Each structure stands twice: as structure tokens, then as C-alpha cells.
Amino acid sequence: MTLLTTWPESGPDTVVRRTSEPAEIAAALAPLGVRYEQWPVRESVPFDADSDTVFAAYGPEIDKLNAEEGFTTVDVLGLHPSDDPEFPAKAKAAREKFLQEHTHDDDDEIRFFVSGAGIFYLHVNGEVHAVLCEKGDLLGVPRGTTHWFDMGTSPSFTAIRFFHEEDGWIGTFTGDRIADRFPDFDTIAAGHRA
Ligand SMILES: CSCCC(=O)/C(O)=C/O
Ligand SMILES: [Fe+2]
Ligand code: NI
């Protein structure tokens, strides 16, 4: 289940909000300009499906969003445990990159989770909002929003990414290691399952 946890930016000792209710999550994030919605899940899509399979399964939703928002580039990013001996190093490098607080100055960050999970931490107006996204969740974060993302120590997710720019992912790092002061994916996901 999706989970939103909000703390003051000073640290996680005080929980301002904690909810798994989709309508409450959407209402809490809307004033930040953040879009949260759920799409019907295509259960027939394997968790580690390739891009063509994902595009075929979610074609109607992708086309509708593209028509509404004018995206020019759509890709699929998947990372799942595998026998590839390079997987641990790849996963560690990917996690480290996104754990660094950053902004996307020229584009919104729109992600749909086809499978697996990850947490977006939105650092806005003196608060940190951790949005644990799972299969079926669409999150749209406006350009310029300060945030980081944690996929955990054993990443497993497939996400559709929508861009207005041909160049795809471009981030500006703030240099703030704020992620070190807040519960990470492993901690939040373990508590959520318990
Ligand atoms: C879930 S897609 C990978 C994360 C990403 O693209 C990003 O910018 C995180 O902040
Ligand atoms: Fe980002
Ligand atoms: Ni859950």
C-alpha cells in the first residue's frame, strides 16, 4: 500500500502526517503542485517486463497523459535483483545518485510504478514528505521541487518516466546530505509491512 509520511525538515522525531489513504495523500500533496493518482494495474504484466510489454499494457493511459501534458519522451526504467554479477554495483551506484537531494529545473518529474516500490522525499516549505510509491501509483513532481529518491539496498521496481525534454533525466544536485537524517527505504518499507 502507498504511504505518505511528513516530518519537519529539522528531522524525523515528530511525525506531522502519516496516511495510506489515497484520497488523503492526493489532498496533502496537491497544495505543493504534486499530482498523485492511481491507475488500474495490469496484473498480467510481469514485474520485470521489458519496455515493449509495458508500453503495450499501459498504452491507453500513456497516450491520454501525453495528450494532456505534451510529453515528448517516455521511457521505462527497471531495476530488479538478477544473476548479473554486476547487479550489486549497478544498484548501489543508482541508489547513491538518486539519494542526493536534487531538482529538475527544466522539467517535471512524472513517474508511474508498474511494479516494485520506491520512496520520493519531497523537501518543500520546511517539511519533508516521503511518498512510498508502489505498483499502480503515478506521482508528478513540478520542476524545481527539491527532492531525493530511495530505492533501498535491494532495489526492485519498474517505472514509466515521462519527459518534456528529449534529453531525459537532468538533475541539479543541492549538495545537502539531508537524506542521511531521515528514515530510508529499507526502514520505512519494513515498518509498513510489519
Ligand atoms: C523511479 S524513477 C528513478 C528516480 C528518478 O528518476 C528521480 O529523478 C528521482 O528523483
Ligand atoms: Fe528526481
Ligand atoms: Ni503497502
Short mmCIF file of all heavy atoms in Angstrom, two decimals, residues 117-179:
data_model
loop_
_atom_site.label_atom_id
_atom_site.label_comp_id
_atom_site.label_asym_id
_atom_site.label_seq_id
_atom_site.Cartn_x
_atom_site.Cartn_y
_atom_site.Cartn_z
N ALA A 117 8.67 -0.89 -5.78
CA ALA A 117 8.42 0.27 -4.94
C ALA A 117 9.66 1.16 -4.84
O ALA A 117 10.78 0.73 -5.13
CB ALA A 117 8.02 -0.19 -3.53
N GLY A 118 9.42 2.38 -4.43
CA GLY A 118 10.50 3.35 -4.18
C GLY A 118 9.89 4.51 -3.41
O GLY A 118 8.67 4.67 -3.39
N ILE A 119 10.74 5.30 -2.77
CA ILE A 119 10.23 6.44 -2.00
C ILE A 119 10.78 7.76 -2.54
O ILE A 119 11.99 7.93 -2.66
CB ILE A 119 10.60 6.33 -0.50
CG1 ILE A 119 10.05 5.02 0.08
CG2 ILE A 119 10.06 7.54 0.27
CD1 ILE A 119 10.34 4.85 1.58
N PHE A 120 9.87 8.65 -2.87
CA PHE A 120 10.24 10.03 -3.20
C PHE A 120 10.11 10.86 -1.94
O PHE A 120 9.07 10.83 -1.26
CB PHE A 120 9.31 10.61 -4.28
CG PHE A 120 9.63 10.10 -5.65
CD1 PHE A 120 9.00 8.98 -6.15
CD2 PHE A 120 10.58 10.73 -6.43
CE1 PHE A 120 9.32 8.49 -7.41
CE2 PHE A 120 10.90 10.25 -7.69
CZ PHE A 120 10.27 9.13 -8.18
N TYR A 121 11.15 11.61 -1.63
CA TYR A 121 11.16 12.51 -0.48
C TYR A 121 11.13 13.93 -1.04
O TYR A 121 12.09 14.37 -1.68
CB TYR A 121 12.43 12.33 0.35
CG TYR A 121 12.60 10.96 0.98
CD1 TYR A 121 13.00 9.86 0.23
CD2 TYR A 121 12.41 10.77 2.35
CE1 TYR A 121 13.18 8.61 0.80
CE2 TYR A 121 12.58 9.53 2.94
CZ TYR A 121 12.98 8.46 2.16
OH TYR A 121 13.17 7.21 2.73
N LEU A 122 10.03 14.63 -0.79
CA LEU A 122 9.86 15.98 -1.32
C LEU A 122 10.15 16.98 -0.21
O LEU A 122 9.49 16.94 0.85
CB LEU A 122 8.43 16.17 -1.84
CG LEU A 122 7.91 15.02 -2.73
CD1 LEU A 122 6.45 15.24 -3.10
CD2 LEU A 122 8.78 14.86 -3.96
N HIS A 123 11.13 17.84 -0.42
CA HIS A 123 11.58 18.77 0.61
C HIS A 123 11.06 20.16 0.24
O HIS A 123 11.66 20.87 -0.57
CB HIS A 123 13.12 18.73 0.64
CG HIS A 123 13.73 19.62 1.67
ND1 HIS A 123 15.08 19.91 1.70
CD2 HIS A 123 13.19 20.29 2.72
CE1 HIS A 123 15.33 20.70 2.71
NE2 HIS A 123 14.21 20.96 3.34
N VAL A 124 9.91 20.50 0.83
CA VAL A 124 9.19 21.71 0.41
C VAL A 124 8.66 22.47 1.62
O VAL A 124 8.09 21.85 2.53
CB VAL A 124 7.96 21.34 -0.48
CG1 VAL A 124 7.35 22.59 -1.09
CG2 VAL A 124 8.33 20.36 -1.57
N ASN A 125 8.81 23.78 1.61
CA ASN A 125 8.22 24.66 2.64
C ASN A 125 8.52 24.18 4.06
O ASN A 125 7.62 24.13 4.91
CB ASN A 125 6.69 24.75 2.45
CG ASN A 125 6.32 25.39 1.13
OD1 ASN A 125 7.12 26.11 0.54
ND2 ASN A 125 5.12 25.10 0.65
N GLY A 126 9.75 23.80 4.33
CA GLY A 126 10.15 23.44 5.68
C GLY A 126 9.73 22.05 6.13
O GLY A 126 9.87 21.71 7.31
N GLU A 127 9.22 21.25 5.19
CA GLU A 127 8.81 19.89 5.54
C GLU A 127 9.40 18.89 4.55
O GLU A 127 9.80 19.25 3.43
CB GLU A 127 7.28 19.77 5.54
CG GLU A 127 6.60 20.57 6.64
CD GLU A 127 5.10 20.36 6.70
OE1 GLU A 127 4.47 20.24 5.62
OE2 GLU A 127 4.55 20.32 7.80
N VAL A 128 9.44 17.63 5.00
CA VAL A 128 9.84 16.54 4.11
C VAL A 128 8.66 15.57 4.02
O VAL A 128 8.16 15.09 5.05
CB VAL A 128 11.10 15.81 4.65
CG1 VAL A 128 11.36 14.55 3.85
CG2 VAL A 128 12.31 16.73 4.61
N HIS A 129 8.23 15.33 2.79
CA HIS A 129 7.12 14.42 2.53
C HIS A 129 7.68 13.17 1.86
O HIS A 129 8.17 13.26 0.72
CB HIS A 129 6.08 15.05 1.60
CG HIS A 129 5.62 16.40 2.07
ND1 HIS A 129 4.51 16.57 2.86
CD2 HIS A 129 6.13 17.64 1.85
CE1 HIS A 129 4.35 17.87 3.12
NE2 HIS A 129 5.32 18.53 2.51
N ALA A 130 7.61 12.02 2.54
CA ALA A 130 8.11 10.78 1.97
C ALA A 130 6.92 10.02 1.37
O ALA A 130 6.00 9.63 2.10
CB ALA A 130 8.77 9.93 3.05
N VAL A 131 6.95 9.85 0.05
CA VAL A 131 5.85 9.17 -0.63
C VAL A 131 6.34 7.80 -1.08
O VAL A 131 7.12 7.69 -2.03
CB VAL A 131 5.35 9.96 -1.86
CG1 VAL A 131 4.02 9.37 -2.35
CG2 VAL A 131 5.21 11.44 -1.56
N LEU A 132 5.92 6.77 -0.35
CA LEU A 132 6.26 5.40 -0.73
C LEU A 132 5.32 4.99 -1.86
O LEU A 132 4.11 4.86 -1.66
CB LEU A 132 6.10 4.46 0.46
CG LEU A 132 6.14 2.95 0.21
CD1 LEU A 132 7.46 2.53 -0.42
CD2 LEU A 132 5.91 2.18 1.49
N CYS A 133 5.88 4.90 -3.07
CA CYS A 133 5.07 4.57 -4.24
C CYS A 133 5.18 3.08 -4.55
O CYS A 133 6.28 2.51 -4.47
CB CYS A 133 5.56 5.36 -5.45
SG CYS A 133 5.28 7.12 -5.32
N GLU A 134 4.07 2.49 -4.91
CA GLU A 134 4.04 1.08 -5.27
C GLU A 134 3.28 0.92 -6.58
O GLU A 134 2.75 1.90 -7.13
CB GLU A 134 3.38 0.28 -4.14
CG GLU A 134 4.20 0.35 -2.86
CD GLU A 134 3.70 -0.57 -1.76
OE1 GLU A 134 2.48 -0.82 -1.69
OE2 GLU A 134 4.52 -1.04 -0.98
N LYS A 135 3.22 -0.32 -7.02
CA LYS A 135 2.53 -0.68 -8.26
C LYS A 135 1.19 0.06 -8.39
O LYS A 135 0.38 0.00 -7.47
CB LYS A 135 2.30 -2.19 -8.23
CG LYS A 135 1.70 -2.80 -9.42
CD LYS A 135 1.81 -4.31 -9.35
CE LYS A 135 1.01 -4.95 -8.23
NZ LYS A 135 0.95 -6.41 -8.32
N GLY A 136 1.01 0.77 -9.51
CA GLY A 136 -0.26 1.47 -9.75
C GLY A 136 -0.24 2.94 -9.40
O GLY A 136 -1.19 3.66 -9.70
N ASP A 137 0.86 3.40 -8.78
CA ASP A 137 0.93 4.81 -8.36
C ASP A 137 1.56 5.68 -9.43
O ASP A 137 2.62 5.35 -9.98
CB ASP A 137 1.79 4.96 -7.10
CG ASP A 137 1.12 4.38 -5.86
OD1 ASP A 137 -0.13 4.34 -5.84
OD2 ASP A 137 1.85 4.00 -4.93
N LEU A 138 0.95 6.84 -9.67
CA LEU A 138 1.54 7.87 -10.52
C LEU A 138 1.84 9.08 -9.65
O LEU A 138 0.97 9.57 -8.94
CB LEU A 138 0.60 8.28 -11.65
CG LEU A 138 1.21 9.40 -12.50
CD1 LEU A 138 1.68 8.84 -13.84
CD2 LEU A 138 0.25 10.53 -12.75
N LEU A 139 3.08 9.55 -9.70
CA LEU A 139 3.48 10.75 -8.96
C LEU A 139 4.02 11.77 -9.95
O LEU A 139 4.86 11.43 -10.80
CB LEU A 139 4.55 10.39 -7.93
CG LEU A 139 4.81 11.47 -6.86
CD1 LEU A 139 3.61 11.59 -5.92
CD2 LEU A 139 6.07 11.15 -6.06
N GLY A 140 3.53 13.00 -9.85
CA GLY A 140 4.01 14.09 -10.70
C GLY A 140 4.54 15.22 -9.83
O GLY A 140 3.80 15.83 -9.08
N VAL A 141 5.84 15.45 -9.92
CA VAL A 141 6.51 16.45 -9.08
C VAL A 141 6.89 17.63 -9.97
O VAL A 141 7.61 17.45 -10.97
CB VAL A 141 7.76 15.84 -8.42
CG1 VAL A 141 8.47 16.86 -7.55
CG2 VAL A 141 7.39 14.59 -7.61
N PRO A 142 6.45 18.86 -9.63
CA PRO A 142 6.73 20.00 -10.51
C PRO A 142 8.22 20.32 -10.59
O PRO A 142 8.95 20.12 -9.61
CB PRO A 142 6.00 21.17 -9.85
CG PRO A 142 5.20 20.63 -8.75
CD PRO A 142 5.66 19.24 -8.45
N ARG A 143 8.63 20.83 -11.74
CA ARG A 143 10.03 21.21 -11.92
C ARG A 143 10.46 22.17 -10.81
O ARG A 143 9.65 22.95 -10.31
CB ARG A 143 10.23 21.86 -13.30
CG ARG A 143 9.51 23.16 -13.49
CD ARG A 143 9.49 23.56 -14.95
NE ARG A 143 8.66 22.64 -15.73
CZ ARG A 143 8.67 22.55 -17.05
NH1 ARG A 143 9.45 23.32 -17.75
NH2 ARG A 143 7.88 21.69 -17.67
N GLY A 144 11.71 22.06 -10.41
CA GLY A 144 12.23 22.96 -9.38
C GLY A 144 12.01 22.46 -7.95
O GLY A 144 12.55 23.04 -7.01
N THR A 145 11.21 21.42 -7.78
CA THR A 145 10.95 20.90 -6.43
C THR A 145 12.19 20.15 -5.91
O THR A 145 12.71 19.26 -6.59
CB THR A 145 9.75 19.91 -6.45
OG1 THR A 145 8.61 20.58 -7.00
CG2 THR A 145 9.43 19.41 -5.05
N THR A 146 12.62 20.51 -4.72
CA THR A 146 13.79 19.86 -4.12
C THR A 146 13.37 18.49 -3.60
O THR A 146 12.39 18.38 -2.86
CB THR A 146 14.32 20.72 -2.96
OG1 THR A 146 14.45 22.06 -3.44
CG2 THR A 146 15.67 20.24 -2.48
N HIS A 147 14.11 17.44 -3.99
CA HIS A 147 13.70 16.08 -3.60
C HIS A 147 14.87 15.11 -3.70
O HIS A 147 15.92 15.42 -4.26
CB HIS A 147 12.56 15.60 -4.50
CG HIS A 147 12.96 15.39 -5.92
ND1 HIS A 147 13.09 16.43 -6.82
CD2 HIS A 147 13.30 14.27 -6.61
CE1 HIS A 147 13.47 15.96 -7.99
NE2 HIS A 147 13.62 14.64 -7.90
N TRP A 148 14.66 13.92 -3.13
CA TRP A 148 15.55 12.80 -3.40
C TRP A 148 14.71 11.54 -3.48
O TRP A 148 13.49 11.59 -3.24
CB TRP A 148 16.67 12.69 -2.34
CG TRP A 148 16.28 12.27 -0.96
CD1 TRP A 148 16.31 11.01 -0.44
CD2 TRP A 148 15.86 13.13 0.12
NE1 TRP A 148 15.93 11.03 0.88
CE2 TRP A 148 15.65 12.30 1.25
CE3 TRP A 148 15.62 14.51 0.26
CZ2 TRP A 148 15.22 12.80 2.49
CZ3 TRP A 148 15.18 15.00 1.48
CH2 TRP A 148 14.99 14.17 2.57
N PHE A 149 15.33 10.42 -3.87
CA PHE A 149 14.59 9.18 -4.10
C PHE A 149 15.41 8.03 -3.54
O PHE A 149 16.63 7.98 -3.73
CB PHE A 149 14.38 8.99 -5.61
CG PHE A 149 13.75 7.68 -6.00
CD1 PHE A 149 12.38 7.47 -5.83
CD2 PHE A 149 14.50 6.64 -6.53
CE1 PHE A 149 11.80 6.26 -6.20
CE2 PHE A 149 13.93 5.44 -6.91
CZ PHE A 149 12.56 5.25 -6.74
N ASP A 150 14.73 7.12 -2.84
CA ASP A 150 15.44 5.94 -2.33
C ASP A 150 14.78 4.67 -2.84
O ASP A 150 13.58 4.46 -2.64
CB ASP A 150 15.48 5.95 -0.79
CG ASP A 150 16.43 4.88 -0.25
OD1 ASP A 150 17.17 4.26 -1.05
OD2 ASP A 150 16.45 4.68 0.98
N MET A 151 15.59 3.83 -3.47
CA MET A 151 15.12 2.53 -3.98
C MET A 151 15.53 1.39 -3.04
O MET A 151 15.21 0.24 -3.30
CB MET A 151 15.70 2.29 -5.37
CG MET A 151 17.21 2.32 -5.43
SD MET A 151 17.85 2.14 -7.12
CE MET A 151 17.55 3.76 -7.81
N GLY A 152 16.23 1.72 -1.96
CA GLY A 152 16.61 0.71 -0.98
C GLY A 152 17.88 -0.04 -1.36
O GLY A 152 18.44 0.13 -2.45
N THR A 153 18.34 -0.88 -0.45
CA THR A 153 19.60 -1.60 -0.66
C THR A 153 19.45 -2.77 -1.62
O THR A 153 20.44 -3.28 -2.13
CB THR A 153 20.17 -2.11 0.68
OG1 THR A 153 19.15 -2.85 1.34
CG2 THR A 153 20.63 -0.96 1.56
N SER A 154 18.22 -3.21 -1.82
CA SER A 154 17.99 -4.29 -2.79
C SER A 154 16.89 -3.85 -3.75
O SER A 154 15.74 -4.30 -3.66
CB SER A 154 17.61 -5.57 -2.06
OG SER A 154 17.48 -6.62 -2.98
N PRO A 155 17.22 -2.94 -4.67
CA PRO A 155 16.17 -2.30 -5.49
C PRO A 155 15.37 -3.29 -6.32
O PRO A 155 15.93 -4.25 -6.85
CB PRO A 155 16.96 -1.38 -6.43
CG PRO A 155 18.32 -1.26 -5.85
CD PRO A 155 18.56 -2.48 -5.04
N SER A 156 14.09 -3.03 -6.39
CA SER A 156 13.22 -3.80 -7.29
C SER A 156 12.05 -2.91 -7.69
O SER A 156 11.13 -2.67 -6.88
CB SER A 156 12.72 -5.07 -6.61
OG SER A 156 11.95 -5.83 -7.53
N PHE A 157 12.12 -2.37 -8.88
CA PHE A 157 11.00 -1.56 -9.37
C PHE A 157 11.09 -1.43 -10.90
O PHE A 157 12.17 -1.54 -11.48
CB PHE A 157 10.99 -0.14 -8.75
CG PHE A 157 12.13 0.73 -9.18
CD1 PHE A 157 12.04 1.53 -10.32
CD2 PHE A 157 13.32 0.72 -8.48
CE1 PHE A 157 13.10 2.33 -10.72
CE2 PHE A 157 14.39 1.51 -8.88
CZ PHE A 157 14.28 2.31 -10.01
N THR A 158 9.94 -1.22 -11.51
CA THR A 158 9.87 -0.80 -12.91
C THR A 158 8.98 0.43 -12.94
O THR A 158 7.87 0.42 -12.38
CB THR A 158 9.28 -1.90 -13.80
OG1 THR A 158 10.18 -3.01 -13.80
CG2 THR A 158 9.09 -1.41 -15.23
N ALA A 159 9.47 1.50 -13.56
CA ALA A 159 8.71 2.75 -13.62
C ALA A 159 8.70 3.29 -15.04
O ALA A 159 9.70 3.20 -15.76
CB ALA A 159 9.32 3.79 -12.68
N ILE A 160 7.55 3.87 -15.41
CA ILE A 160 7.48 4.61 -16.67
C ILE A 160 7.82 6.06 -16.34
O ILE A 160 7.29 6.64 -15.38
CB ILE A 160 6.08 4.54 -17.30
CG1 ILE A 160 5.62 3.09 -17.46
CG2 ILE A 160 6.06 5.25 -18.65
CD1 ILE A 160 4.17 2.95 -17.97
N ARG A 161 8.71 6.65 -17.13
CA ARG A 161 9.14 8.03 -16.91
C ARG A 161 8.69 8.89 -18.09
O ARG A 161 8.86 8.49 -19.25
CB ARG A 161 10.65 8.12 -16.76
CG ARG A 161 11.21 7.13 -15.74
CD ARG A 161 12.67 7.39 -15.42
NE ARG A 161 13.54 7.27 -16.58
CZ ARG A 161 14.85 7.54 -16.55
NH1 ARG A 161 15.41 7.95 -15.43
NH2 ARG A 161 15.59 7.38 -17.64
N PHE A 162 8.13 10.04 -17.80
CA PHE A 162 7.62 10.95 -18.83
C PHE A 162 8.44 12.24 -18.80
O PHE A 162 8.64 12.83 -17.74
CB PHE A 162 6.15 11.32 -18.55
CG PHE A 162 5.21 10.13 -18.55
CD1 PHE A 162 5.08 9.31 -17.44
CD2 PHE A 162 4.45 9.84 -19.67
CE1 PHE A 162 4.22 8.23 -17.44
CE2 PHE A 162 3.58 8.75 -19.68
CZ PHE A 162 3.47 7.95 -18.56
N PHE A 163 8.89 12.68 -19.98
CA PHE A 163 9.71 13.89 -20.06
C PHE A 163 9.15 14.83 -21.14
O PHE A 163 8.65 14.39 -22.17
CB PHE A 163 11.15 13.54 -20.46
CG PHE A 163 11.85 12.60 -19.50
CD1 PHE A 163 11.95 11.25 -19.79
CD2 PHE A 163 12.43 13.08 -18.33
CE1 PHE A 163 12.61 10.38 -18.92
CE2 PHE A 163 13.09 12.21 -17.45
CZ PHE A 163 13.19 10.86 -17.75
N HIS A 164 9.31 16.15 -20.86
CA HIS A 164 9.02 17.15 -21.90
C HIS A 164 10.25 17.42 -22.75
O HIS A 164 10.18 18.05 -23.79
CB HIS A 164 8.56 18.47 -21.28
CG HIS A 164 7.21 18.41 -20.63
ND1 HIS A 164 7.02 18.28 -19.27
CD2 HIS A 164 5.97 18.47 -21.17
CE1 HIS A 164 5.73 18.27 -19.00
NE2 HIS A 164 5.06 18.38 -20.14
N GLU A 165 11.42 17.02 -22.22
CA GLU A 165 12.69 17.31 -22.90
C GLU A 165 13.25 16.04 -23.51
O GLU A 165 13.21 14.98 -22.89
CB GLU A 165 13.71 17.86 -21.88
CG GLU A 165 13.22 19.07 -21.11
CD GLU A 165 13.13 20.30 -21.98
OE1 GLU A 165 13.92 20.42 -22.94
OE2 GLU A 165 12.25 21.14 -21.73
N GLU A 166 13.83 16.15 -24.70
CA GLU A 166 14.41 14.98 -25.37
C GLU A 166 15.57 14.40 -24.57
O GLU A 166 15.88 13.22 -24.65
CB GLU A 166 14.92 15.36 -26.77
CG GLU A 166 13.88 15.96 -27.70
CD GLU A 166 12.83 14.96 -28.14
OE1 GLU A 166 13.12 13.76 -28.13
OE2 GLU A 166 11.70 15.38 -28.46
N ASP A 167 16.23 15.25 -23.80
CA ASP A 167 17.45 14.82 -23.10
C ASP A 167 17.19 13.88 -21.93
O ASP A 167 18.11 13.34 -21.35
CB ASP A 167 18.21 16.04 -22.56
CG ASP A 167 18.74 16.90 -23.70
OD1 ASP A 167 18.84 16.38 -24.81
OD2 ASP A 167 19.03 18.07 -23.45
N GLY A 168 15.92 13.72 -21.55
CA GLY A 168 15.62 12.81 -20.45
C GLY A 168 16.04 13.36 -19.10
O GLY A 168 15.81 14.53 -18.81
N TRP A 169 16.67 12.51 -18.28
CA TRP A 169 16.95 12.87 -16.88
C TRP A 169 18.08 13.87 -16.75
O TRP A 169 19.22 13.57 -17.14
CB TRP A 169 17.30 11.60 -16.09
CG TRP A 169 17.21 11.79 -14.60
CD1 TRP A 169 16.13 11.50 -13.81
CD2 TRP A 169 18.23 12.31 -13.72
NE1 TRP A 169 16.42 11.81 -12.50
CE2 TRP A 169 17.70 12.31 -12.41
CE3 TRP A 169 19.53 12.77 -13.92
CZ2 TRP A 169 18.42 12.74 -11.31
CZ3 TRP A 169 20.25 13.22 -12.81
CH2 TRP A 169 19.69 13.20 -11.52
N ILE A 170 17.78 15.06 -16.25
CA ILE A 170 18.83 16.04 -15.94
C ILE A 170 18.55 16.55 -14.53
O ILE A 170 17.47 17.09 -14.25
CB ILE A 170 18.81 17.23 -16.92
CG1 ILE A 170 18.97 16.75 -18.36
CG2 ILE A 170 19.92 18.22 -16.57
CD1 ILE A 170 18.77 17.84 -19.40
N GLY A 171 19.49 16.36 -13.62
CA GLY A 171 19.31 16.80 -12.24
C GLY A 171 20.35 17.82 -11.84
O GLY A 171 21.48 17.81 -12.33
N THR A 172 19.94 18.73 -10.93
CA THR A 172 20.88 19.68 -10.33
C THR A 172 20.97 19.34 -8.85
O THR A 172 19.96 19.41 -8.13
CB THR A 172 20.36 21.12 -10.48
OG1 THR A 172 20.14 21.39 -11.86
CG2 THR A 172 21.35 22.14 -9.92
N PHE A 173 22.15 18.92 -8.39
CA PHE A 173 22.29 18.48 -7.01
C PHE A 173 22.49 19.68 -6.09
O PHE A 173 23.22 20.62 -6.42
CB PHE A 173 23.46 17.49 -6.90
CG PHE A 173 23.21 16.22 -7.67
CD1 PHE A 173 23.81 16.00 -8.91
CD2 PHE A 173 22.33 15.26 -7.18
CE1 PHE A 173 23.56 14.85 -9.63
CE2 PHE A 173 22.07 14.10 -7.90
CZ PHE A 173 22.69 13.90 -9.13
N THR A 174 21.82 19.63 -4.91
CA THR A 174 21.94 20.75 -3.97
C THR A 174 23.19 20.63 -3.10
O THR A 174 23.60 21.60 -2.48
CB THR A 174 20.72 20.82 -3.02
OG1 THR A 174 20.74 19.65 -2.17
CG2 THR A 174 19.41 20.89 -3.79
N GLY A 175 23.74 19.42 -2.99
CA GLY A 175 24.92 19.21 -2.14
C GLY A 175 24.55 18.96 -0.68
O GLY A 175 25.43 18.76 0.16
N ASP A 176 23.26 18.97 -0.36
CA ASP A 176 22.80 18.74 1.02
C ASP A 176 22.58 17.23 1.22
O ASP A 176 21.81 16.61 0.49
CB ASP A 176 21.48 19.51 1.21
CG ASP A 176 21.00 19.50 2.66
OD1 ASP A 176 21.46 18.65 3.44
OD2 ASP A 176 20.14 20.34 2.98
N ARG A 177 23.25 16.64 2.23
CA ARG A 177 23.09 15.20 2.51
C ARG A 177 21.90 14.98 3.46
O ARG A 177 21.95 14.15 4.37
CB ARG A 177 24.37 14.64 3.12
CG ARG A 177 25.52 14.50 2.16
CD ARG A 177 25.27 13.54 0.99
NE ARG A 177 24.73 12.24 1.39
CZ ARG A 177 24.65 11.19 0.59
NH1 ARG A 177 25.08 11.27 -0.67
NH2 ARG A 177 24.15 10.06 1.02
N ILE A 178 20.83 15.72 3.24
CA ILE A 178 19.65 15.64 4.11
C ILE A 178 19.10 14.22 4.18
O ILE A 178 18.55 13.81 5.20
CB ILE A 178 18.56 16.65 3.62
CG1 ILE A 178 17.35 16.63 4.56
CG2 ILE A 178 18.16 16.39 2.18
CD1 ILE A 178 16.33 17.72 4.28
N ALA A 179 19.30 13.42 3.13
CA ALA A 179 18.78 12.05 3.13
C ALA A 179 19.33 11.24 4.30
O ALA A 179 18.65 10.33 4.81
CB ALA A 179 19.13 11.36 1.81
#
